[in-house]
Amino acid sequence: MSAPTTASGSAGPIAAEAPAALTDRAPQVPAERLVAEMVPPPRFATVSFDNYITDPGQPSQAEAVEALRAFAARLDGGAGAKGGRRRHWFRREAKPAATGGGPRGMYLDGGYGVGKTHLLASLWHATPAAPELKAFGTFVELTNLVGALGFQQTVRTLSGHRLLCIDEFELDDPGDTVLVSTLLGKLVEAGVALAATSNTLPGKLGEGRFAAADFLREIQGLSAHFRTLRIDGEDYRHRGLPAAPAPYSDDTVTRAAHRTPGASLDAFPALLEHLSRVHPSRYGAMCDGIQAVCLTGVGPVPDQSTALRLVVLADRLYDREVPVLASGVPFDRLFSEEMLSGGYRKKYFRAISRLTALARDAKRLADMPDGR
């Protein structure tokens, strides 16, 4: 029997199992799983206010930590937290207690990489309520939930919660913004506390500019319920860290995929094509069980629709701490200058930042000798 060949045509080491292919995966995700998985992702499963490393040169970071601690302390866990009683996914329960006269919502306002998601997840963990009475998800995941359950059922499902945390509230899709703003209005009426981060609106993405004014305007009647916490700082993923490793050869990536348990191996163009056939709500499930993603032939993304799908995949991989080993062009050349100066600029820079961090994590896979 001949040895398996690599993407460049050379022989690679024989592995007990061939690497998986993301392009072979198109999972179906039931609505119940969408609800059950509304918790902080694995990368943020153990974060807390205590292990958020504040920058002494940015006092707004420490101020935000203290404000969020106080907000969590005001949230009453209620019977579900004290007695540990699980609530049925689709049964509305008693209205949660109020937050002691303080704001019903907190908005974390800052650039990418300043630790907003860390703080949002820390708030979820610190809130004194059973996990079943707290929800955490991205804006996209929340809109997917509405799509799966319907608007009224989503309202009933979430109305019994004490807290809803929304990461990366999308301000670039007017229809979805109105949908979610209406949903949040219903949840505020039911006594649910809210916390959110967001991106900025298209055409309003100047350097150093934050999104608070846009966010408060777009959520219209809800703005009075939110207190804004501005978090200044630089992207922590690049503070004092070495430059991201340069892309490897196809041969190196393929060999690493064959010797790494749980790795996937895909040609980048084929993966982009596959993403167009799988709903973004299923990208997380598509990565189930994957321990490392190996990509050959990475190149510039051809269009904005494809680029936005790749952003979602990058987020899911980053959430799960899945290293990404790649050949081709560096990740900072994925998106064209036109994309990086357009309305989705912040999303693309976030994706570059996260993929670069995952590329650093993957360096050990390339350095591992054959036979391990």
Side-chain angles (χ1 to χ4, degrees), residues 192-206:
V192 182
L194 308 173
T197 71
S198 81
N199 59 23
T200 50
L201 284 167
K204 298 187 176 183
L205 292 155

Side-chain angles (χ1 to χ4, degrees), residues 4 6 11 46 107 125 130 172 224 327:
T6 67
T46 60
Y107 171 65
H125 290 300
D172 40 39
S327 66

Side-chain angles (χ1 to χ4, degrees), residues 335-355:
F335 308 110
S336 68
E337 288 300 320
E338 182 179 3
M339 291 179 186
L340 293 178
S341 61
Y344 300 108
R345 176 175 179 267
K346 185 174 180 180
K347 291 184 179 182
Y348 298 144
F349 273 99
R350 185 182 79 237
I352 291 170
S353 176
R354 291 184 165 186
L355 288 171

Side-chain angles (χ1 to χ4, degrees), residues 42-372:
R43 178 175 286 269
F44 300 100
T46 60
V47 299
S48 68
F49 295 130
D50 290 336
N51 59 30
Y52 176 77
I53 301 174
T54 59
D55 183 344
Q58 304 289 351
S60 63
Q61 295 182 5
E63 293 167 3
V65 169
E66 292 310 307
L68 290 169
R69 283 187 192 273
F71 184 70
R74 290 198 305 270
L75 296 178
D76 177 14
K82 296 173 183 176
R85 178 168 53 89
R86 298 182 64 88
R87 70 189 288 272
H88 190 278
W89 290 124
F90 306 116
R91 183 176 67 241
R92 182 171 180 173
E93 292 195 353
K95 185 181 294 187
T99 56
R104 284 231 57 82
M106 302 293 275
Y107 171 65
L108 283 59
D109 180 27
Y112 57 88
V114 298
K116 298 190 305 296
T117 302
H118 183 128
L119 290 174
L120 195 65
S122 298
L123 173 64
W124 189 93
H125 290 300
T127 295
E132 296 82 11
L133 300 180
K134 301 180 287 187
F136 183 106
T138 65
F139 180 92
V140 171
E141 289 167 334
L142 188 58
T143 57
N144 290 337
L145 184 67
V146 175
L149 303 184
F151 183 84
Q152 295 299 332
Q153 187 62 69
T154 302
V155 171
R156 289 191 291 270
T157 299
L158 297 179
S159 287
H161 282 58
R162 303 294 183 260
L163 174 69
L164 171 62
C165 295
I166 308 170
D167 200 21
E168 295 294 338
F169 196 106
E170 303 284 354
L171 295 174
D172 40 39
D173 187 319
D176 283 346
T177 300
V178 171
L179 172 70
V180 174
S181 295
T182 305
L183 171 64
L184 297 186
K186 297 290 186 182
L187 298 180
V188 166
E189 291 175 4
V192 182
L194 308 173
T197 71
S198 81
N199 59 23
T200 50
L201 284 167
K204 298 187 176 183
L205 292 155
E207 287 294 334
R209 189 183 185 284
F210 295 92
D214 295 329
F215 176 78
L216 295 175
R217 181 177 61 253
E218 293 303 309
I219 61 173
Q220 301 174 16
L222 286 173
S223 60
H225 294 285
F226 279 86
R227 175 186 172 186
T228 298
L229 299 176
R230 177 162 173 164
I231 306 168
D232 301 289
E234 61 179 298
D235 186 345
Y236 80 93
R237 287 178 286 268
H238 302 300
R239 285 184 207 156
L241 294 174
Y248 297 91
S249 68
D250 284 355
D251 182 72
T252 297
V253 171
T254 303
R255 285 178 177 271
H258 278 271
R259 67 173 173 248
T260 302
S264 65
L265 176 62
D266 293 275
F268 187 68
L271 179 60
L272 296 183
E273 172 81 14
H274 183 64
L275 293 180
S276 69
R277 298 190 293 268
V278 179
H279 192 275
S281 67
R282 293 187 275 157
Y283 289 0
M286 189 171 69
C287 299
D288 283 353
I290 298 297
Q291 302 301 312
V293 166
C294 297
L295 300 173
T296 58
V298 170
V301 178
D303 57 76
Q304 189 148 266
S305 295
T306 302
L308 291 173
R309 288 191 288 266
L310 182 61
V311 167
V312 176
L313 179 63
D315 286 343
R316 300 292 81 78
L317 294 174
Y318 183 78
D319 289 345
R320 288 161 172 76
E321 300 182 294
V322 178
V324 179
L325 190 71
S327 66
V329 305
F331 286 132
D332 60 3
R333 289 170 51 191
L334 282 174
F335 308 110
S336 68
E337 288 300 320
E338 182 179 3
M339 291 179 186
L340 293 178
S341 61
Y344 300 108
R345 176 175 179 267
K346 185 174 180 180
K347 291 184 179 182
Y348 298 144
F349 273 99
R350 185 182 79 237
I352 291 170
S353 176
R354 291 184 165 186
L355 288 171
T356 296
L358 296 177
R360 289 195 193 99
D361 295 342
K363 186 176 185 299
R364 60 180 172 79
L365 303 179
D367 295 340
M368 187 183 300
D370 288 343
R372 290 192 60 185

Side-chain angles (χ1 to χ4, degrees), residues 21-44:
L22 295 179
T23 50
D24 290 339
R25 297 180 165 203
Q28 298 298 317
V29 183
E32 291 82 358
R33 175 171 171 174
L34 294 177
V35 178
E37 291 186 342
M38 292 191 75
V39 298
R43 178 175 286 269
F44 300 100

